[in-house]
Amino acid sequence: MVSDSELKVAVLGLGYIGLPTAAVIARTGVQVLGIDVSEKVVETVNSGKVHIEEVDLDGLVSGVVARGNLRAATLIEPADVFVIAVPTPFGDHHAPNIGYVLQAATTVAAVLKAGDVVILESTSPVGTTEKVRDLLAALRPDLKVPGKTGETADIAIAYCPERVLPGRILVELIDNDRVIGGITPRCARKALAFYRRFVRGACVTTTARAAEMTKLTENAFRDVNIAFANELSLIADTMGVDVWEVIRLANRHPRVNILSPGPGVGGHCIAVDPWFLVSAAPEQTPLIRTAREVNDGKVAHTIARAAALIEQFPGVPVACLGLAFKANIDDFRESPALKVAADLAHRFGNRIRIVEPYADALPAVFAGSAARLIDIDSAIETCGIMIVLVDHEVFKSVPLEERASMVVYDTRGIWPDQPTPIAAAADLRLAS
């Protein structure tokens, strides 16, 4: 492979994974072109700024753009390595939609040349990399494609999923181990050589199908374990027991590690990827399907319980704390907090105030409601009811003396010292 200064990389999709990946690669001195369908995203990146919230990403992007190692465009250009990092949502009946992946592959085909490496990073159903291979073979019959020729292939095609945590993406893109699945072993080795340029973690090669299933397995494992915690919280509610106390005590067992419950499961990975396995093998996945249903059902339970609480105190302003799918990020994809807050906003109108430190305006789902965005200090001063939906650090920092008189529904367990507000409830009823 060519030297860092001569290598050209194109990253298709400048979202929560694509942009950090492009910036990390560019930091090594490689020339990186980021491709995105949004002209606004392209303009933002080319100005050295970012359109997403991620720790230290703004400084990194600013630096690599200023040095000329990263630029963005809406049109593809020839490169040596193509990294596809576009969304893979699900459609009707939770069937996976790989349309964006195939569209990206079609774009790459137009400029593909002998010696190039094509790597799919998007979380995908098993067999997607082979579909990319088949599409490239159909669009470029002039090239010998791996798995389609008995001779040495002209190009390499591989699958290498990300496995990063929002808020730590830049660190984990470098330090975490990577699973690299090739259409052929030679493809895997070509992709391995590329990732070794910027990854310090172990890079393990395998087949494309095994790598695809590995990514889905990781997220399904998390989903099943979160579902246990969420189901436990439902049982505790029914029995009048503090689920946080139960989990804390149970986790003192040397072989028990129960995760934290919440209002549901969000994000574009854990809330989506298990359905890819269910869709591919419906008869063999009753546990994975049930876990998805438990976690999706927790949203409705949270809404019902929050609404019942609000209805006890007519006229009292309510603060919904958080909209993101997890703490300290601005990502609202598949967020249970967003779904809960939006439902309450449309149900209770101007009584609902939203506190989300990572948003400058309310998302479109709030259109038509009278809810408004306020900061945490205003919520403390004006709201008698607090519904904690996200465990942002700024919410954890609110001391007991500032919330002792409030009625609180804490879905995240961030305020274990919150007393049962009997006196506060009485005061709220009198005030209303």
Side-chain angles (χ1 to χ4, degrees), residues 37-38 50 55 65 82 190 235 242 269 310 340 351 359 372 406:
V37 296
S38 169
V50 298
V55 176
V65 169
F82 297 90
K190 289 276 190 179
I235 299 169
D242 182 352
C269 290
I310 294 169
V340 172
R351 290 181 61 191
R372 64 181 186 273
M406 297 177 181

Side-chain angles (χ1 to χ4, degrees), residues 68-83:
N69 293 115
L70 174 63
R71 61 188 177 88
T74 57
L75 298 177
I76 193 74
E77 297 177 13
D80 304 301
V81 179
F82 297 90
V83 177

Side-chain angles (χ1 to χ4, degrees), residues 104-277:
T106 299
T107 300
V108 169
V111 295
L112 203 57
K113 64 184 185 300
D116 287 352
V117 179
V118 180
I119 302 170
L120 175 61
E121 286 202 358
S122 306
T123 303
S124 303
V126 176
T128 301
T129 309
E130 293 171 356
K131 290 182 179 179
V132 169
R133 182 269 316 271
D134 294 344
L135 178 61
L136 293 177
L139 294 174
R140 292 299 303 272
D142 57 309
L143 294 173
K144 293 189 286 291
V145 176
K148 292 289 188 178
T149 177
E151 305 175 70
T152 300
D154 289 330
I155 61 174
I157 304 171
Y159 180 74
C160 183
E162 52 77 21
R163 40 161 56 143
V164 295
L165 181 70
R168 288 180 48 83
I169 291 178
L170 295 183
V171 173
E172 297 198 353
L173 278 175
I174 297 171
D175 291 343
N176 287 1
D177 296 349
R178 301 298 290 258
V179 176
I180 303 170
I183 289 292
T184 65
R186 186 170 182 270
C187 291
R189 291 192 296 272
K190 289 276 190 179
L192 171 65
F194 170 68
Y195 281 100
R196 294 310 297 160
R197 293 172 179 269
F198 63 93
V199 173
R200 286 197 292 258
C203 292
V204 182
T205 59
T206 183
T207 65
R209 281 180 167 253
E212 290 164 340
M213 187 165 177
T214 296
K215 172 64 175 180
L216 301 181
T217 298
E218 292 166 357
N219 288 331
F221 174 85
R222 292 276 296 164
D223 198 43
V224 169
N225 281 271
I226 295 171
F228 177 81
N230 277 335
E231 190 165 277
L232 195 65
S233 72
L234 299 178
I235 299 169
D237 281 352
T238 300
M239 297 183 173
V241 177
D242 182 352
V243 69
W244 308 103
E245 177 74 356
V246 170
I247 290 174
R248 183 180 68 81
L249 295 173
N251 282 348
R252 296 180 69 88
H253 188 290
R255 288 171 295 281
V256 173
N257 183 25
I258 302 169
L259 301 181
S260 297
V265 172
H268 190 63
C269 290
I270 298 177
V272 176
D273 301 346
W275 286 118
F276 293 2
L277 290 174

Side-chain angles (χ1 to χ4, degrees), residues 88-99 124-125 275-277 279-280:
T88 49
F90 58 68
D92 296 338
H93 307 294
H94 299 113
N97 178 0
I98 62 169
S124 303
W275 286 118
F276 293 2
L277 290 174
S279 178

Side-chain angles (χ1 to χ4, degrees), residues 294-307:
V294 167
N295 286 332
D296 283 349
K298 188 66 186 296
V299 176
H301 172 83
T302 302
I303 291 171
R305 187 173 171 189

